[in-house]
Amino acid sequence: MLAAMEQREVVKRVIGILTEAREMQRLLEADLEREDLDAGAGAVTALLNETMPHIAIPDDFSVEEVVTVVGREVGGAVEQLVSAFTLAFTMLAQVHDSGQTDVSSADVLQDLALRVEAGGPEDEDDGPVL
């Protein structure tokens, strides 16, 4: 079984996925006929493959036992992913709702990445981002 990915690493990967999605949107807006852009599924699939546990289910397990084991093993990984996306969304929404028009979503994601790298943001409670 793979070791659980550190939450900070998951947050950084989520930031990368969101940043990549924004860049693809920008490129598509510039050229709607563009067909050379990956839909970003590769990064999401890689993150899922790295965060989801490998589960060995004995052949003699009942359906209920399988459900219990899968729920227990996968639940933590799903919670980790949801937590990382929720953190990014909350920080983006906080800046948006504050009306800061001079701060882009890329700025917010970059700030979040720097905070995570430095050991935050959960260690910091100093008000709005940026």
Side-chain angles (χ1 to χ4, degrees):
M1 184 164 145
L2 293 175
M5 187 180 278
E6 290 289 325
Q7 185 64 22
R8 292 186 199 293
E9 183 60 29
V10 174
V11 172
K12 289 191 287 188
R13 297 282 295 279
V14 164
I15 292 167
I17 289 168
L18 294 173
T19 301
E20 182 180 351
R22 176 61 187 116
E23 179 62 14
M24 284 189 297
Q25 178 188 8
R26 188 188 66 74
L27 292 171
L28 284 171
E29 286 172 356
D31 181 4
L32 293 177
E33 301 300 317
R34 194 173 184 135
E35 295 180 13
D36 63 332
L37 295 176
D38 179 13
V44 173
T45 300
L47 180 59
L48 287 172
N49 286 336
E50 291 176 31
T51 56
M52 291 297 154
H54 295 263
I55 304 169
I57 306 290
D59 292 336
D60 62 342
F61 265 30
S62 69
V63 171
E64 292 81 16
E65 290 171 315
V66 170
V67 169
T68 299
V69 169
V70 170
R72 182 182 63 233
E73 296 296 321
V74 173
V78 170
E79 185 177 324
Q80 192 177 35
L81 289 169
V82 169
S83 175
F85 275 103
T86 300
L87 174 63
F89 171 81
T90 301
M91 295 188 83
L92 288 162
Q94 183 180 23
V95 171
H96 174 272
D97 292 350
S98 73
Q100 296 181 47
T101 58
D102 61 331
V103 179
S104 70
S105 59
D107 294 335
V108 175
L109 292 173
Q110 182 179 24
D111 182 66
L112 177 56
L114 292 171
R115 287 179 182 217
V116 168
E117 193 64 34
E122 60 275 0
D123 298 335
E124 300 174 16
D125 192 15
D126 55 3
V129 179
L130 303 171

